[in-house]
Amino acid sequence: PWGLVGTGEGVVVEGALEGDVLRVSRAVAPSAASSPPQRPVRGVLQVAVVAAKFSDVADEPYNYSYVHDVVFGPFPSVRDFWERSSNGAVKLRPFYVHPRWLDLGMSTADYCGVSNINDRVRRVASRVVERLYYDFGVVLPDGGYLIIILNARPSCEGFAGYGTIRYWTFSTPYGQRQFAVSWIFHYAN
């Protein structure tokens, strides 16, 4: 049933097989305790933008006017993409824009030393969240969107960036938070 599409594992369906067709007589969604929280993305999405650099790459390839325009500019921008593709259901608004390049305190080798891309996303995003909190007192909102622009594309990467499709839970210095995360590599290296 369409009402259960995307609800996750654990959906119980009762029905009867009639030839090659399954006729569903009853479907029961999983209990709230067994599934992650579902958050439809509608309305205002608070965005934090951070340009971050690897400790072994000195380049700071973009100025902040450019970084701001990539995310919030009129067209083409991340904001433009979200607002147009959602037919206006999603509005990206700045929550925090870091004013200068943030040193991650990790090298590209530290980054590439983690083979699973999910662990890389989590490692870099967690490092950014910790640095923002400990060095600048920034507390990111639960359910926010964190966009990280990195100063290099490490040799272990073949893409210009990554992003989470859903909210991930992060352990932050200020408690559990859920963020959607995207990052963009500087590709001309």
Side-chain angles (χ1 to χ4, degrees):
W2 286 109
L4 295 175
V5 171
T7 60
E9 296 179 22
V11 175
V12 176
V13 178
E14 294 177 3
L17 190 59
E18 298 173 4
D20 292 336
V21 177
L22 175 65
R23 301 279 181 212
V24 175
S25 59
R26 186 172 92 104
V28 180
S31 71
S34 66
S35 65
Q38 300 294 315
R39 291 186 185 192
V41 178
R42 295 186 187 285
V44 174
L45 188 55
Q46 295 180 323
V47 180
V49 180
V50 177
K53 62 183 183 174
F54 293 106
S55 59
D56 60 336
V57 179
D59 294 343
E60 295 180 0
Y62 306 118
N63 65 39
Y64 260 83
S65 174
Y66 179 78
V67 169
H68 182 274
D69 286 350
V70 164
V71 178
F72 297 113
F75 180 80
S77 68
V78 174
R79 179 191 60 85
D80 179 67
F81 169 79
W82 274 92
E83 292 181 6
R84 284 179 184 248
S85 64
S86 72
N87 287 326
V90 175
K91 303 284 188 201
L92 264 61
R93 297 298 179 259
F95 173 79
Y96 176 78
V97 179
H98 193 67
R100 60 185 173 277
W101 284 88
L102 178 74
D103 191 334
L104 287 172
M106 64 186 289
S107 68
T108 53
D110 294 332
Y111 173 86
C112 290
V114 178
S115 61
N116 180 321
I117 186 58
N118 294 335
D119 292 339
R120 286 187 214 153
V121 169
R122 190 168 299 284
R123 177 182 272 189
V124 170
S126 293
R127 182 68 60 105
V128 166
V129 169
E130 289 170 359
R131 295 292 313 272
L132 289 177
Y133 178 74
Y134 288 121
D135 296 352
F136 305 99
V138 176
V139 176
L140 299 178
D142 190 38
Y145 184 20
L146 176 60
I147 298 175
I148 304 167
I149 298 174
L150 294 165
N151 70 329
R153 181 182 57 88
S155 61
C156 61
E157 291 300 349
F159 299 100
Y162 289 102
T164 61
I165 295 173
R166 64 170 50 188
Y167 289 96
W168 283 10
T169 301
F170 288 87
S171 294
T172 71
Y174 39 91
Q176 296 287 320
R177 293 288 193 273
Q178 290 190 333
F179 307 120
V181 180
S182 292
W183 70 54
I184 303 163
F185 295 119
H186 174 60
Y187 211 80
N189 57 343

